[in-house]
Amino acid sequence: MTETWTVLSLLNWAAPYLEKNGSSSPRLDAELLLAKVLDCQRLDLYLRFDKPLASSELASFKKLILERRQGVPVAYLLGEKEFWSLSFQVSPAVLVPRPETEHLVEASINFLEEKFPTGCGVLDLGTGCGNIILALAHQFSDRTGFSWLGIDSRPAALEVAALNARQLKLEEVSWLASDLFASLAPENSLFGLVVANPPYITSAEMAGLPPEVQREPAAALDGGLDGLDFYRRIANDARNFLRPGGGLIFEVGDGQAADVKKILASNGYSAISGLFDLARCERVVMGVN
Ligand code: GLN
């Protein structure tokens, strides 16, 4: 990179370079990373196509592109990811929030509006960066009857979640390091809603994950031999922590909905139902205690 590089010539170099190295969205990746280096919005790049870059900017961009080429997710390089129209800090300690998880948030909002409009306790298991519980707390921030708790087994994830709570000014959300319900006392914790996007990749699939997914914490992905370990544990234990009429709402992996419904049925839940995502995959499964 010795000639004078402009925004446009740099993007035209970086996008095919990332494409050759396996990115499925090379131009977008390059634009997001260049916008980070130039501290501007992605669309502002289009107004600055002819702007020459300083050598320090070039060096920063090249470093990011090399990391991206090695499979580091763009969200980790940017340090943030948008979810439910809110900006979440992310690091390699947490799973990068996925757009399909917004269906879980939507289903949870509908359930709360219908069953507990004036408030109840809400628990998010395996909260990661806190995206689900913080999106819900944000949605209901004008109502005082709710309490919000995010649980994760990994304190490093909870540090990211607590940081997000501060930045989103949602400090009413509490955090607890616990292996699912293990550190919760049932008598003082009855929830109206338990929500979870648990690890659901099968052990066999774990080895074949795309390189960028392999950069994410295995603990957030690995659902055991058939991918359903966490659904069984949560469905069983949640009965002791849900109010009568309280809901358990899961995100499930592709093709897992029928099995998860069976797990809910065998644990005695009623009103078991599923919701489809935009790719017509049955993505959310719920039951009532
Ligand atoms: N709750 C987070 C999410 O849905 C993390 C889930 C996880 O780590 N399995 O993005």
Side-chain angles (χ1 to χ4, degrees):
M1 290 193 203
T2 48
E3 67 213 75
T4 305
W5 287 89
T6 63
V7 165
L8 184 60
S9 65
L10 204 53
L11 290 174
N12 286 343
W13 164 78
Y17 180 75
L18 290 179
E19 186 168 25
K20 261 199 292 232
N21 287 284
S23 166
S24 58
S25 52
R27 176 80 185 196
L28 178 63
D29 293 1
E31 289 181 1
L32 287 167
L33 295 173
L34 188 53
K36 178 182 167 71
V37 168
L38 299 181
D39 195 19
C40 67
Q41 299 296 311
R42 180 171 73 89
L43 293 181
D44 293 337
L45 297 174
Y46 287 74
L47 307 173
R48 305 183 189 181
F49 270 164
D50 297 328
K51 178 182 150 55
L53 273 89
S55 58
S56 61
E57 293 168 335
L58 275 178
S60 308
F61 184 65
K62 191 172 170 192
K63 185 167 170 288
L64 290 171
I65 290 292
L66 289 177
E67 288 185 81
R68 178 68 193 122
R69 193 188 72 159
Q70 286 160 7
V72 180
V74 175
Y76 290 163
L77 295 173
L78 299 176
E80 66 178 346
K81 176 76 184 177
E82 189 184 294
F83 179 84
W84 202 254
S85 300
L86 301 169
S87 173
F88 288 89
Q89 306 281 306
V90 292
S91 79
V94 298
L95 196 80
V96 177
R98 307 292 204 267
E100 58 267 30
T101 303
E102 294 185 341
H103 292 283
L104 185 65
V105 172
E106 207 177 336
S108 301
I109 291 170
N110 291 341
F111 178 84
L112 291 171
E113 287 286 11
E114 193 187 329
K115 304 284 180 170
F116 300 105
T118 58
C120 66
V122 179
L123 168 62
D124 174 23
L125 288 170
T127 197
C129 73
N131 51 318
I132 296 170
I133 195 84
L134 289 168
L136 292 173
H138 184 262
Q139 193 74 20
F140 289 94
S141 57
D142 58 340
R143 287 182 236 178
T144 52
F146 287 94
S147 66
W148 311 101
L149 175 61
I151 281 184
D152 204 286
S153 61
R154 294 167 307 121
L158 291 177
E159 277 174 31
V160 178
L163 180 73
N164 281 318
R166 273 200 296 284
Q167 293 208 334
L168 294 166
K169 302 201 178 357
L170 292 167
E171 286 174 274
E172 64 273 29
V173 179
S174 310
W175 309 104
L176 177 68
S178 173
D179 177 20
L180 301 182
F181 296 96
S183 308
L184 262 185
E187 58 276 13
N188 46 28
S189 349
L190 276 187
F191 299 95
L193 174 64
V194 173
V195 64
N197 175 21
Y200 54 62
I201 311 285
T202 65
S203 303
E205 287 165 341
M206 284 298 289
L209 289 174
E212 65 175 15
V213 182
Q214 290 190 22
R215 300 282 181 146
E216 296 183 89
L221 295 164
D222 190 346
L225 213 53
D226 65 355
L228 301 172
D229 282 3
F230 285 91
Y231 298 105
R232 289 190 202 91
R233 289 180 59 196
I234 295 171
N236 180 63
D237 296 354
R239 295 298 309 262
N240 300 323
F241 294 89
L242 279 167
R243 289 162 55 160
L248 174 58
I249 308 188
F250 282 130
E251 177 172 325
V252 302
D254 245 334
Q256 290 177 328
D259 287 332
V260 174
K261 285 179 179 173
K262 273 188 217 141
I263 291 170
L264 289 179
S266 69
N267 281 282
Y269 290 86
S270 60
I272 296 164
S273 63
L275 291 168
F276 289 79
D277 68 13
L278 299 174
R280 304 211 182 137
C281 159
E282 197 166 13
R283 182 58 71 189
V284 173
V285 167
M286 56 198 289
V288 172
N289 184 39

